[in-house]
Amino acid sequence: MSSSSSSSQMGQLVADKHVRYILMSEKKKESFESVVMDHLRMNGAYWGLTTLDLLDKLGSVSVDEVVSWLMTCQHESGGFAGNTGHDPHVLYTLSAVQILALFDKLDILDVGKVSSYVAGLQNEDGSFSGDMWGEVDTRFSYIAICCLSILKCLDKINVVKAVDYIVSCKNLDGGFGCTPGAESHAGQIFCCVGALAITGSLHHVDKDLLGWWLCERQVKSGGLNGRPEKLPDVCYSWWVLSSLIMIDRVHWIDKAKLVKFILDCQDLENGGISDRPDDAVDIFHTYFGVAGLSLLEYPGVKAIDPAYALPVDVINRILLTK
């Protein structure tokens, strides 16, 4: 179909409104949503700032303000918390590193300290805990590997054991769970495939079998769900799509229908994207909606790297410099 007919039928990305929504939500610190999200502020900052960069509007925030707040979240241990005065966790540590990567400010980090914190969370069996309390999940394997790769410190962990642990979480349907024997879920599949992609270990994936499972996530509306029989959700536009791209099976889904589903989840008046049409918008789904459109090569959205969840130009700048 020609681009003119497709765009007129499909609706448009109201990018300027999403930019305004993100900039406003950062100012509304007293709102209910903001209080509930307080301990997650580092993630919210990563989602919002990455979205701005994908829409080529990162220049509309004060780098110094963000970076000085971010550094107040770092602990003696080297790890970062979700906000000032909270406990460190590998999840917030990755978000902090990703934000600094966006701004090209990784040089302000004590890389040795941060990477030692992350590496110290690896367990004897190759798995990773999220923090000192010891919960184990393949999400944390991905987060640690992604973070250490950006910092160029993958040699601080036992990569072979880390990969073996992830492979031990592979299921008969081709998917992956959070621990060995746990059911396949699109979010965990992204984490496992992403970690395997970063470590050059994708040969452990049965691409046709997993590709089939992932394609089955597309429902009638064009949206994607995370498991069989669940409702579609914009965030799976990221988890499922990035996995399909990494295993080279993205042509197995109907991309145009997925674009339409994401665009239908926009708040056309006030900006922001919701989990499904007519629900309340939030920063999380706004990021995953725009990131999904980026993976779908939607015009006017910068390319995002499916494994690192950062713009391709940012990843090239980091990985291609000595």
Side-chain angles (χ1 to χ4, degrees):
M1 74 192 180
S2 75
S3 57
S4 58
S5 67
S6 65
S7 55
S8 58
Q9 288 160 3
M10 258 179 5
Q12 294 290 332
L13 179 68
V14 292
D16 50 339
K17 294 197 172 161
H18 299 322
V19 169
R20 200 176 65 217
Y21 166 74
I22 291 165
L23 296 173
M24 286 301 295
S25 66
E26 189 37 44
K27 290 191 176 66
K28 287 192 276 196
K29 301 231 187 346
E30 302 74 55
S31 70
F32 171 72
E33 184 186 29
S34 181
V35 173
V36 174
M37 294 283 283
D38 185 57
H39 64 294
L40 282 179
R41 196 166 158 219
M42 189 69 75
N43 293 129
Y46 157 71
W47 296 324
L49 293 166
T50 308
T51 307
L52 290 177
D53 198 10
L54 291 173
L55 298 174
D56 226 358
K57 289 286 186 290
L58 193 59
S60 46
V61 294
S62 159
V63 177
D64 293 342
E65 255 176 65
V66 176
V67 171
S68 57
W69 162 74
L70 180 143
M71 293 310 289
T72 66
C73 301
Q74 190 174 23
H75 279 243
E76 328 285 49
S77 62
F80 284 82
N83 207 341
T84 318
H86 291 258
D87 288 332
H89 193 285
V90 72
L91 176 57
Y92 308 125
T93 304
L94 173 61
S95 291
V97 166
Q98 288 171 315
I99 291 167
L100 292 173
L102 282 175
F103 288 135
D104 199 9
K105 292 276 188 202
L106 285 170
D107 55 351
I108 69 168
L109 281 181
D110 178 337
V111 170
K113 207 170 169 185
V114 180
S115 56
S116 293
Y117 168 77
V118 176
L121 294 166
Q122 188 171 30
N123 302 307
E124 191 45 49
D125 62 358
S127 67
F128 282 83
S129 303
D131 59 17
M132 59 186 276
W133 306 108
E135 182 198 356
V136 169
D137 188 314
T138 45
R139 278 187 315 155
F140 307 145
S141 296
Y142 163 74
I143 288 166
I145 286 168
C146 183
C147 190
L148 291 172
S149 177
I150 292 170
L151 297 174
K152 300 183 178 174
C153 291
L154 268 178
D155 56 353
K156 282 202 172 186
I157 57 167
N158 187 323
V159 175
V160 174
K161 273 192 171 182
V163 168
D164 286 347
Y165 180 78
I166 291 168
V167 173
S168 76
C169 298
K170 187 161 66 167
N171 291 320
L172 293 171
D173 56 18
F176 293 83
C178 55
T179 49
E183 71 166 326
S184 297
H185 180 282
Q188 302 294 153
I189 288 169
F190 161 78
C191 291
C192 293
V193 172
L196 293 174
I198 290 169
T199 56
S201 315
L202 280 175
H203 55 278
H204 289 293
V205 179
D206 184 330
K207 294 176 183 167
D208 285 343
L209 188 62
L210 177 57
W212 177 250
W213 191 92
L214 289 166
C215 292
E216 290 282 289
R217 304 283 59 81
Q218 191 163 35
V219 300
K220 278 200 179 69
S221 64
L224 300 161
N225 62 22
R227 282 176 308 184
E229 307 303 318
K230 297 286 184 188
L231 289 170
D233 183 322
V234 156
C235 72
Y236 293 113
S237 308
W238 169 263
W239 308 120
V240 173
L241 206 55
S242 55
S243 302
L244 283 168
I245 289 170
M246 288 187 279
I247 63 170
D248 201 21
R249 299 292 181 275
V250 73
H251 50 287
W252 288 6
I253 59 158
D254 187 328
K255 291 187 186 179
K257 278 181 79 170
L258 180 54
V259 169
K260 183 185 183 310
F261 175 79
I262 297 171
L263 294 176
D264 285 347
C265 294
Q266 299 180 100
D267 180 333
L268 296 172
E269 294 298 302
N270 306 306
I273 298 175
S274 57
D275 57 348
R276 51 193 75 92
D278 304 321
D279 282 359
V281 303
D282 59 60
I283 202 93
F284 173 82
H285 290 93
T286 304
Y287 163 66
F288 285 110
V290 173
L293 291 171
S294 169
L295 292 175
L296 291 160
E297 301 175 340
Y298 189 89
V301 183
K302 279 170 60 174
I304 192 167
D305 185 287
Y308 288 95
L310 282 170
V312 168
D313 58 355
V314 173
I315 287 301
N316 288 345
R317 185 177 69 215
I318 293 165
L319 298 184
L320 301 179
T321 51
K322 283 290 165 277

